[in-house]
Amino acid sequence: MHFSTAAKLIAIAAPIFVQSVTGWSFTAYDAEGCGTTTNVATDKVEKAGDVECDLLPNAVWHKSIQGAIPAGSNCRINFYPSEGCGDRVAFSLTQYTTTCFSIADYFSPLAYYKAIDCA
């Protein structure tokens, strides 16, 4: 059986098109209850892979947070109150933390996050 050049190219490229793209996300809300009321401002972060330490915009306003980390993933999103993500973890999201969590009672805004084991 002889394959044409076009068929060979399709066979080689096919795995590229069927690979699933996995990533993680979280949404921080300016109200408690993760936006169960109308007109709630949000900040959504969507990424794939690890993040060393990144700033979460508008953290001073956030009152609740909800994660979306794929099932079966070891990915953990850690939140910190200070730049550098070198101090103690204040809050974490994993594949098991899928409900809304209140972060309004933290003394300092959780302004930085780090994603580990997400690659």
Side-chain angles (χ1 to χ4, degrees):
M1 186 170 177
H2 185 289
F3 286 104
S4 71
T5 303
K8 288 179 188 177
L9 289 174
I10 291 171
I12 292 170
I16 295 170
F17 296 117
V18 295
Q19 289 177 348
S20 63
V21 177
T22 59
W24 53 267
S25 68
F26 65 84
T27 306
Y29 298 87
D30 291 0
E32 294 205 36
C34 291
T36 55
T37 60
T38 58
N39 299 324
V40 174
T42 62
D43 288 298
K44 185 167 188 166
V45 174
E46 296 177 300
K47 305 251 181 170
D50 293 350
V51 173
E52 185 59 35
C53 188
D54 209 352
L55 176 67
L56 178 58
N58 306 311
V60 70
W61 303 111
H62 297 150
K63 304 284 188 247
S64 59
I65 194 164
Q66 188 166 18
I69 298 172
S73 169
N74 290 325
C75 183
R76 176 180 295 275
I77 313 301
N78 296 328
F79 293 88
Y80 303 85
S82 59
E83 187 174 2
C85 300
D87 47 354
R88 189 173 184 176
V89 174
F91 182 79
S92 293
L93 294 172
T94 68
Q95 66 171 327
Y96 303 108
T97 52
T98 57
T99 58
C100 179
F101 290 94
S102 174
I103 57 173
D105 293 335
Y106 282 95
F107 182 71
S108 298
L110 303 181
Y112 298 88
Y113 66 94
K114 180 178 187 176
I116 56 174
D117 295 329
C118 300

